[in-house]
Amino acid sequence: MEFRDLKRQYQVLKLDIDEAIQSVLSSGSFIMGKQVVELEEKLAEYVGVKHCVSCANGTDALVLALKVLGIGEGDVVFVPDFTFFASAEAVSVVGAVPVFVDVDSETFNLDTKDLEEKINYVKALGSYNLKAIMAVDLFGLPAMYDEICSIAKINGLYVVEDAAQGFGGRIGDRKACSFGDISTTSFFPAKPLGCYGDGGALFTNNTAWAEKAMSYRMHGKGESKYDNVTIGMNSRLDALQAAVLQVKLNAFIQNELEAVNNVAKMYMEELQHCVHIPRVPNNFYSSWAQFTITLEDEKLRDSLQLFLKNKGVPTAVYYPKPLSSQPVYAQMSLPSTSTPVANDLCKRVLSLPMHPYLTEQEVQFICSSIKEWKTTML
Ligand SMILES: *Cc1c(COP(=O)(O)O)cnc(C)c1O
């Protein structure tokens, strides 16, 4: 059994993917081009925003978003302490300061009450420009955008949505990648919509920002490629990746998103009386980048992980350390923040195999193994 079985997905989509790749090879055009423009149009339409600007990976998408918003030296961006490193790294790359905010223990996303407290705290320090909230749609679940956007509005902050794991999620009928002033995603192979290498994109309804992003991703180009009006990056999507993504987007829309939700439903039903299962708030829909359970403490988490490993069930700990404890941030003198929930979760979380091609028998086996472990613990 695999944690995320990309080989099975390829076997199912092989004919279409091989054909898409062949057509790029025959075209002889590899960077940007027709496939990329088509993909951007399809993604913007699916998400329901005016513009999608693709780029080289999800981290660059965040950097591009922050650059477009003019965020840099002396600016503060509020970032959840429980997420992948890149959410904060992008803030540091543009020279701004990440201030870490605690998360909710059941949704794993930004705790909006703590967000307000951290905002007031940094305001009182007086020495920073408060610029943006980076909300992360962790494990596929959109963050609490109604609350986050109203906090942003009151405080004059931008919202950047890091939907690297969130593509396909929804609140009501509004889709992930549409909640931020600028939203971003990643096409890293293991993300909900993944390609066969690195890839990413940003989304916005603001035409001037989309144009800026298109310039930044291509060395700050002006009228033409050899007219450079600003310091940009080299961050473009390959035609091969765009061709693969067009095939995978179809499969994602037609059945994969539903399939992961069926797997999640089985996990929930089987495990609800056995371990802490993740909470999906009313009216929210997750794209299940991860299915993450929570154990009572670190010892039990590690014990279950070992038990499952011996049964041939791979699991992962996302994340073993809060960002504020990463060596690079621990040694910086950032505005001090306490994030007890994030620290606690790192000791207790365990992510189970999750992908659209898991069979019912496999999910049953995983769940019965967890139940068996539980009886050995009593
Ligand atoms: C994966 C990820 C990123 C970075 O995406 P890459 O394509 O790997 O650069 C950023 N934020 C979060 C939350 C992620 O999970």
Side-chain angles (χ1 to χ4, degrees):
M1 194 186 304
E2 300 212 15
F3 187 69
R4 187 166 189 98
D5 198 334
L6 297 171
K7 284 179 264 177
R8 244 183 236 177
Q9 183 195 41
Y10 176 60
Q11 286 315 315
V12 173
L13 305 177
K14 186 174 186 325
L15 281 178
D16 289 342
I17 286 180
D18 289 359
E19 190 187 318
I21 288 176
Q22 275 306 324
S23 84
V24 175
L25 297 184
S26 315
S27 79
S29 148
F30 299 106
I31 308 281
M32 306 283 288
K34 171 171 143 277
Q35 286 86 357
V36 172
V37 174
E38 285 170 4
L39 175 71
E40 288 174 339
E41 282 167 4
K42 286 181 185 171
L43 289 170
E45 193 197 331
Y46 175 74
V47 166
V49 296
K50 277 198 197 140
H51 307 284
C52 168
V53 180
S54 64
C55 63
N57 56 69
T59 309
D60 280 5
L62 288 171
V63 173
L64 285 165
L66 296 169
K67 279 170 77 79
V68 164
L69 296 175
I71 293 170
E73 298 278 329
D75 296 337
V76 155
V77 178
F78 296 89
V79 181
D81 203 15
F82 188 67
T83 172
F84 180 60
F85 185 66
S87 308
E89 184 182 32
V91 173
S92 300
V93 162
V94 300
V97 175
V99 170
F100 296 112
V101 180
D102 214 350
V103 296
D104 178 86
S105 65
E106 292 189 319
T107 63
F108 308 113
N109 281 331
L110 269 180
D111 175 338
T112 50
K113 203 164 160 286
D114 192 59
L115 175 63
E116 285 184 295
E117 277 170 27
K118 298 279 161 39
I119 288 171
N120 291 334
Y121 165 73
V122 177
K123 263 190 188 164
L125 292 176
S127 44
Y128 295 99
N129 304 313
L130 286 67
K131 277 289 176 64
I133 300 163
M134 180 170 310
V136 178
D137 301 342
L138 204 72
F139 303 153
L141 182 72
M144 307 298 268
Y145 285 102
D146 285 347
E147 291 86 339
I148 290 167
C149 292
S150 76
I151 292 169
K153 202 166 172 198
I154 290 165
N155 292 282
L157 304 173
Y158 291 120
V159 174
V160 176
E161 175 189 8
D162 178 355
Q165 302 180 17
F167 190 83
R170 294 199 304 264
I171 304 175
D173 50 18
R174 293 177 300 156
K175 289 207 177 76
C177 295
S178 75
F179 297 115
D181 291 295
I182 302 183
S183 303
T184 68
T185 196
S186 162
F187 305 123
F188 181 83
K191 304 284 163 135
L193 177 64
C195 59
Y196 289 151
D198 277 310
L202 66 79
F203 298 81
T204 184
N205 281 315
N206 185 312
T207 303
W209 289 346
E211 281 166 2
K212 261 191 177 168
M214 285 190 268
S215 166
Y216 277 132
R217 76 173 164 181
M218 233 157 142
H219 304 290
K221 83 179 183 71
E223 292 289 298
S224 79
K225 199 170 164 183
Y226 300 107
D227 170 39
N228 306 95
V229 296
T230 153
I231 301 299
M233 303 162 68
N234 174 9
S235 186
R236 296 165 302 212
L237 189 67
D238 294 347
L240 279 171
Q241 301 305 344
V244 168
L245 281 167
Q246 287 197 35
V247 176
K248 292 229 212 170
L249 178 62
N250 278 339
F252 184 84
I253 295 170
Q254 277 167 19
N255 62 287
E256 288 184 353
L257 184 56
E258 201 185 329
V260 287
N261 271 278
N262 287 337
V263 172
K265 198 159 160 253
M266 277 190 268
Y267 273 142
M268 301 271 210
E269 282 168 10
E270 291 294 324
L271 297 176
Q272 58 184 336
H273 302 299
C274 183
V275 293
H276 291 287
I277 53 174
R279 188 171 80 89
V280 177
N282 225 346
N283 214 24
F284 280 55
Y285 186 82
S286 175
S287 58
W288 297 108
Q290 304 294 341
F291 189 91
T292 304
I293 58 172
T294 315
L295 287 304
E296 295 296 319
D297 60 33
E298 189 168 17
K299 241 172 126 176
L300 289 174
R301 189 267 309 274
D302 294 351
S303 149
L304 175 59
Q305 183 169 38
L306 183 63
F307 187 89
L308 290 175
K309 186 176 174 215
N310 291 334
K311 293 259 179 194
V313 176
T315 59
V317 173
Y318 297 123
Y319 293 90
K321 237 188 239 179
L323 297 188
S324 56
S325 301
Q326 289 292 349
V328 62
Y329 286 125
Q331 75 198 18
M332 275 185 204
S333 58
L334 301 174
S336 100
T337 60
S338 103
T339 52
V341 177
N343 277 270
D344 182 50
L345 282 175
C346 290
K347 301 187 183 104
R348 295 169 49 210
V349 287
L350 190 65
S351 299
L352 304 179
M354 177 49 100
H355 61 82
Y357 301 94
L358 270 174
T359 65
E360 197 173 330
Q361 289 90 320
E362 287 172 317
V363 180
Q364 290 300 344
F365 178 73
I366 297 163
C367 293
S368 59
S369 300
I370 294 172
K371 288 175 184 165
E372 188 187 334
W373 167 81
K374 182 97 176 182
T375 60
T376 69
M377 283 291 117
L378 294 173

